[in-house]
Amino acid sequence: MKKMVLGTALAACISGSAFAYDGGDFIFRSGAITVSPEVSSSALSLGGATLEGTAAGVDDGTALSLIGTYMLRDHWGVEVIAATPFSHDLKVSGLGETFDLGETRHLPPTVVLQYYPLQASSRVQPYVGLGLNYTVFFEEKVSREANDIFASLGATGDASVTLKNSSGIAAEAGVDVAFGADQRWLLNLSVWWMDIDTEATVDVPGVGTISAAVELDPLVYSAGFGYRF
């Protein structure tokens, strides 16, 4: 009798829908997410003249991920990726030394169509996805260090920096591991590649406009937890 009960319980855990990824399910994931740009920059230009050997740089930024997936049907889901604002330090190199240009914040709303190759009842669920990203830059600021350098070049006031918003493709790979009494809680690891290109423009009063084309194309890493409804 005990063996029958244990066997029935085991079969229910293996084949039941407690942790199935069925059509109509909703999955929420959240955790630490880091944007690590793979920066490629043109040389800076000033008033149409190229400043050879110069380049712009962007440091990593970390925020809280807010990610929702709706399962359209078994194996297929649509994911919306959001986060709290990222903050990135901006750098300039090639003018005798690398100096702190300032900082910017950004939000990267992204929509991805996902494919889950395993059966819906699998406790471990790897997935891949492809979609579109739109990156919004805001609250750009020029550092005091940069303004002091511009002042030594004849600037008549503080400079301002702007970064152009970007749209491009996004690709991802990730995995969920179910745990908990009803297997609805998830441990999630995921990585994205995003095509993000921008135009950085620094307006320096009394000196001119400095600009550069910057390809960020970051790898984005996330580790956290999720819950399936």
Side-chain angles (χ1 to χ4, degrees), residues 40-45 54-56 199 211-215:
S40 175
S41 169
S42 69
L44 277 63
S45 67
T54 59
E199 180 81 19
S211 62
V214 185
E215 295 182 6

Side-chain angles (χ1 to χ4, degrees), residues 42-64:
S42 69
L44 277 63
S45 67
L46 173 60
T50 300
L51 305 178
E52 296 294 343
T54 59
V58 181
D59 286 349
D60 294 358
T62 299
L64 176 68

Side-chain angles (χ1 to χ4, degrees), residues 32 67 71 77 121 135 142 187 192:
I67 303 169
M71 297 301 297
S121 59
T135 299
V142 176
L187 172 65
W192 298 265

Side-chain angles (χ1 to χ4, degrees), residues 2 4 11-12 27 38-39 43 62 75 77 82 102 111-113 118 128-129 140-141 150 154 172 174 179 205 210 214:
K2 289 183 178 180
M4 183 179 298
I27 305 163
E38 298 290 328
V39 180
T62 299
H75 301 293
V111 178
V112 175
L113 179 65
L118 300 187
V128 294
E140 300 98 325
K141 299 177 182 178
F150 295 144
E172 76 167 333
F179 68 95
I210 302 171
V214 185

